[in-house]
Amino acid sequence: MTTYPDDAILVLVETNHLGEVHPSTAGLLGAAAQIGTPVALLLAGPGYGQAAAEKAASLGARQVLQYEDESYFKQITVPGLDALSSAAELVKPQAILISHTVDGREIAGRYAVRSRSALAVDAVGVSRDAEGVVAHHSVYGGSYNVDSAATFGAPIITVRAGAVEERAEAQPLELEVLEVTGSGKPVAIISAVNDAPATSSRPELRGAAKVVAGGRGLGSVEQFVLVDQLADALGAAVGASRAAVDAGFVPQSSQIGQTGVSVSPQLYIALGISGAIQHRAGMQTAKTIVAINKDKEAPIFEIADFGVVGDVFTVVPQLISALEQRKG
Amino acid sequence: MKIVVLAKEVPDTYGQRTLNLETGLAERDSSDKVMDEVSERALEVAISYAAEHPGTEVVLLGAGPESAAVTLRKGLAAGADSAVHVLDAGLLGADTVLTAQVLAAAVARGHYDLVIAGNSSTDGGAGVVHAMIAEILELPQLTNLNSVAITDAEVSGERAIDGGTVQASASLPAVISVTEQLPDLRFANFKGIMAAKKKPLETLTLEELAVEPNDPEAARSIMIAAGERPARSSGTVIIDEGDAGEQLAAFLVQNRLA
C-alpha cells in the first residue's frame, strides 16, 4: 500500500475536456510546496489521465492520485467532490489546496460541509506558523490584507489564479489510480460542453501575467482593436472596464473589477480607463500599473507606476512599434 | 411552484468599504448597504417567472443584521411575495460554512421547489454558499448560469466555467445560481412600494432553526490578522510630447516587462 508523507498537502488538479491541466496548477503546486509535500488529485476525462499526470509531476506533484472518469464531464461538481472525499481519506493531508475556479470553489465548499472542515476562500498565498497552515487573503479589492486559519483540523483553501508566484521543482511521476466511492448525491447533468470561442492564442484573463485593458476611451468596437494589438505585442490577456462592456465594445467575460474578474498580474496596462473605484478594486494588486489617458485628472493616475497623459491612438501605436524594434 | 431567492446585503461598492482592524469584521456603519447586485438578478429571474406562471410564490431569504430587513423590503417592493430574515447575534463573523448551515435550515423549513442565488457576492467573493446548501439539503446544484429556463419538473441553462460554458439541467427541487449576464432587477413602482409594507417579513433566530453556531465538532475558519494595505502611491506621470510611446517602451524593457 502506498504511503503518504505526514506533511502531505492535497492539491486538486482540474483539467478541461481537451485534457489540458488548468493554468492555475503550477501556482497551486508551488503554494503547496511552501507548506508541505504536494500530492495531486488529478481529475480527468477518459484517456487524458496519463499525460495530465505527467504534467502535474513536472509542475511539482510528488505523488499523483488519478481519477479518470467519464462522469467528470457529464455531471456538475459531484464526481470531483466524491473523488476528493476518497483522496482525502487516503492521504490524510494537512491542508487541501484548490483553485478558486467555479468548479474548484464549489467542490471545496461542499467538501468543507461534508467533512466539517474549515474553508478559506480566494487566498493569494499560504504559509505556516506554529499552529498550522495560514491562508493569506487580499480583500475589498486589495484594500486590506487578512490572514485566516482553521480552529482545528486541515483547512480547505481555495487559491486565486495567478496570485502565487512560487513554483515547485519537477518530480518524477509516481502515479496511483484512485478508487472512488460515489456518494450518490443528486446531480445536475451536462448535455454539452462548449469551447470558449478560440479567437486568438492570447492567455486567459484570469491568472494572466500581463493584462492590457481598455475603457470607454477607446470609443468604439472597431477602435478597441488597439487593445488587442498591444496585448499581442506583449503576450498579454485582454480585459476591459465596465464602461467598455456596457458600451458593447467587449463581452462581459472581459470585465475587470468589483463585479467582474479580479486580476493580479505582473503588468497591468489601462488604456482609456478613468479608474473608477470598482475597476481599481479588481486590478490594484497588480505589481506594475501603467495608464494612458488623455484626462490628466483621471483617478487611475493615482495608482499608476507609470502614467502617460496623452491620446491612446498616438501613444499606443508608437509603443507597439518601439517594442517591435527592440525585439528585432 | 415555490421559489426562494437568497438575498445578500453588502456594502455599496460605490463607496469606500472598511474593515475594523481589531475585530476583522466589516465596518457596517461606514458605508451604505444595498442588496448585492447579483442577488437582485437572482430575484429578477424568480419574479419574471412568477409573472408568467400564476400560482408561483417567491420568497426572499436573507441572513444578516437588522439593516438587512431594509434590503428585504426593497425586494418585496420589486415583487417578492414574502421574506424571511435570519437575525441572530450568533451570526456575527459567521464563516461560509455556518452561513450555509443557517440558510439551508431556513430553506428546508419552507419546502421550496427551487433555490436561486447570485453566483458570488461582491464583498466576500466566495461563490460557495449555494453549493454548500445543495450539499446539506441533498439537492442537485446547477450554478453559475448565464441563462435560466424553468419548467414544472426541471431547470436548465448555460453554466459558465473557466475557459468556456456547458449546457446542463437538473430536476426539481434544485439549487441554482446566476451570473451578471442575467437582467437587472426591475424598478419597484409606487404600487409595489405601498404593497411591500403589508407583505409578511418573518424573523427567525438560530435557535428556531436549530443551528448551533458554536458546535465544537465543526471546524471554523477564523481571521487571525488584518491589516490595511499601504495605499499605492503614484509613480511617474508624463505628458505626451510626441515620444511617450518610446519612453513607455523603455520603462517596460528596463523593468523586464516586455
Side-chain angles (χ1 to χ4, degrees):
Chain A
M1 200 182 119
T2 318
T3 56
Y4 297 90
D6 290 339
D7 67 344
I9 306 297
L10 187 58
V11 174
L12 185 89
V13 175
E14 296 177 64
T15 59
N16 65 14
H17 65 292
L18 304 172
E20 299 155 342
V21 305
H22 193 274
S24 63
T25 306
L28 270 185
L29 288 163
Q34 303 292 303
I35 52 172
T37 304
V39 174
L41 164 59
L42 175 74
L43 303 177
Y48 292 121
Q50 179 73 25
E54 282 167 18
K55 178 75 178 174
S58 78
L59 294 172
R62 188 77 63 85
Q63 286 159 294
V64 179
L65 283 166
Q66 178 187 289
Y67 179 61
E68 198 187 75
D69 198 273
E70 198 184 26
S71 63
Y72 184 47
F73 291 110
K74 294 275 167 81
Q75 302 176 358
I76 290 176
T77 306
V78 174
L81 170 64
D82 290 348
L84 179 61
S85 300
S86 297
E89 197 164 311
L90 199 62
V91 176
K92 304 217 174 350
Q94 292 193 342
I96 298 177
L97 301 189
I98 300 178
S99 188
H100 194 69
T101 56
V102 172
D103 271 323
R105 71 197 189 206
E106 292 183 348
I107 290 173
R110 292 185 65 157
Y111 182 68
V113 167
R114 191 176 278 193
S115 61
R116 314 201 77 189
S117 308
L119 175 70
V121 293
D122 199 23
V124 293
V126 290
S127 64
R128 262 183 192 277
D129 68 7
E131 316 273 327
V133 173
V134 176
H136 306 282
H137 310 262
S138 173
V139 305
Y140 283 173
S143 302
Y144 294 88
N145 296 323
V146 167
D147 294 345
S148 74
T151 48
F152 60 86
I156 297 151
I157 301 170
T158 69
V159 180
R160 186 182 296 181
V164 177
E165 280 177 56
E166 286 87 1
R167 294 294 178 262
E169 267 182 49
Q171 303 291 331
L173 177 61
E174 191 181 315
L175 180 73
E176 185 185 353
V177 172
L178 178 69
E179 294 293 330
V180 174
T181 315
S183 63
K185 290 271 169 123
V187 64
I189 304 298
I190 297 170
S191 55
V193 178
N194 312 317
D195 274 319
T199 48
S200 74
S201 54
R202 282 184 210 117
E204 241 186 89
L205 183 55
R206 204 185 289 268
K210 296 176 191 173
V211 173
V212 179
R216 207 200 306 265
L218 272 300
S220 70
V221 179
E222 293 72 30
Q223 291 178 324
F224 200 88
V225 169
L226 189 68
V227 178
D228 300 343
Q229 289 167 347
L230 180 57
D232 289 341
L234 290 164
V238 169
S241 68
R242 182 168 191 158
V245 171
D246 286 348
F249 301 167
V250 277
Q252 203 263 335
S253 54
S254 308
Q255 186 176 315
I256 291 168
Q258 195 69 67
T259 56
V261 176
S262 285
V263 294
S264 302
Q266 299 298 307
L267 172 64
Y268 190 88
I269 302 185
L271 304 180
I273 288 177
S274 66
I277 192 166
Q278 295 88 347
H279 184 75
R280 300 206 313 256
M283 47 64 79
Q284 66 182 352
T285 54
K287 292 279 184 308
T288 300
I289 296 173
V290 171
I292 306 173
N293 197 309
K294 64 183 173 197
D295 174 12
K296 68 179 192 323
E297 306 294 332
I300 192 85
F301 288 127
E302 293 165 18
I303 58 166
D305 298 286
F306 194 101
V308 176
V309 180
D311 184 346
V312 289
F313 298 105
T314 57
V315 176
V316 175
Q318 189 182 60
L319 169 61
I320 293 172
S321 93
L323 289 172
E324 277 166 3
Q325 275 174 21
R326 282 166 195 270
K327 265 184 206 160
Chain B
M1 172 102 51
K2 203 172 167 192
I3 301 175
V4 61
V5 177
L6 307 186
K8 184 172 185 187
E9 183 196 64
V10 296
D12 193 344
T13 58
Y14 284 82
Q16 196 67 46
R17 300 171 302 168
T18 48
L19 275 190
N20 181 314
L21 294 179
E22 284 187 10
T23 61
L25 299 174
E27 288 279 14
R28 292 200 169 255
D29 296 332
S30 71
S31 49
D32 289 339
K33 259 77 64 190
V34 294
M35 192 192 296
D36 200 345
E37 188 182 318
V38 73
S39 296
E40 290 192 345
R41 292 174 198 261
L43 177 57
E44 180 61 31
V45 170
I47 295 174
S48 54
Y49 178 83
E52 289 175 10
H53 297 84
T56 306
E57 186 184 343
V58 177
V59 180
L60 263 181
L61 168 63
E66 287 187 15
S67 57
V70 178
T71 310
L72 293 172
R73 283 277 175 214
K74 282 184 188 158
L76 292 175
D81 297 300
S82 64
V84 177
H85 179 194
V86 185
L87 174 66
D88 196 300
L91 281 172
L92 193 69
D95 67 1
T96 50
V97 178
L98 178 58
T99 304
Q101 285 171 333
V102 167
L103 293 173
V107 169
R109 214 166 156 270
H111 305 286
Y112 301 100
D113 302 293
L114 183 62
V115 182
I116 311 182
N119 62 340
S120 179
S121 69
T122 52
D123 59 345
V128 296
V129 168
H130 39 70
M132 290 171 157
I133 292 171
E135 176 70 17
I136 296 168
L137 299 178
E138 306 211 350
L139 295 174
Q141 160 224 333
L142 179 54
T143 43
N144 227 48
L145 295 177
N146 288 337
S147 64
V148 181
I150 304 165
T151 67
D152 286 339
E154 188 185 85
V155 57
S156 60
E158 181 190 76
R159 167 175 161 93
I161 52 172
D162 280 49
T165 60
V166 299
Q167 290 294 326
S169 63
S171 50
L172 299 181
V175 176
I176 68 170
S177 75
V178 302
T179 70
E180 302 266 333
Q181 301 276 26
L182 280 141
D184 277 329
L185 180 63
R186 62 196 62 191
F187 283 106
N189 56 25
F190 180 70
K191 201 174 139 210
I193 293 165
M194 293 311 288
K197 293 183 196 294
K198 292 181 189 150
K199 288 179 179 174
L201 196 161
E202 184 186 15
T203 303
L204 291 175
T205 63
L206 295 190
E207 195 179 356
E208 285 169 300
L209 291 171
V211 175
E212 168 51 67
N214 300 312
D215 180 0
E217 300 291 312
R220 299 285 180 207
S221 177
I222 52 167
M223 204 174 277
I224 55 172
E228 198 160 359
R229 188 177 190 274
R232 263 196 112 97
S233 52
S234 61
T236 314
V237 177
I238 60 168
I239 294 173
D240 184 24
E241 285 169 347
D243 65 344
E246 298 277 354
Q247 287 193 51
L248 182 47
F251 170 84
L252 294 177
V253 169
Q254 192 191 340
N255 288 284
R256 300 177 184 206
L257 293 166

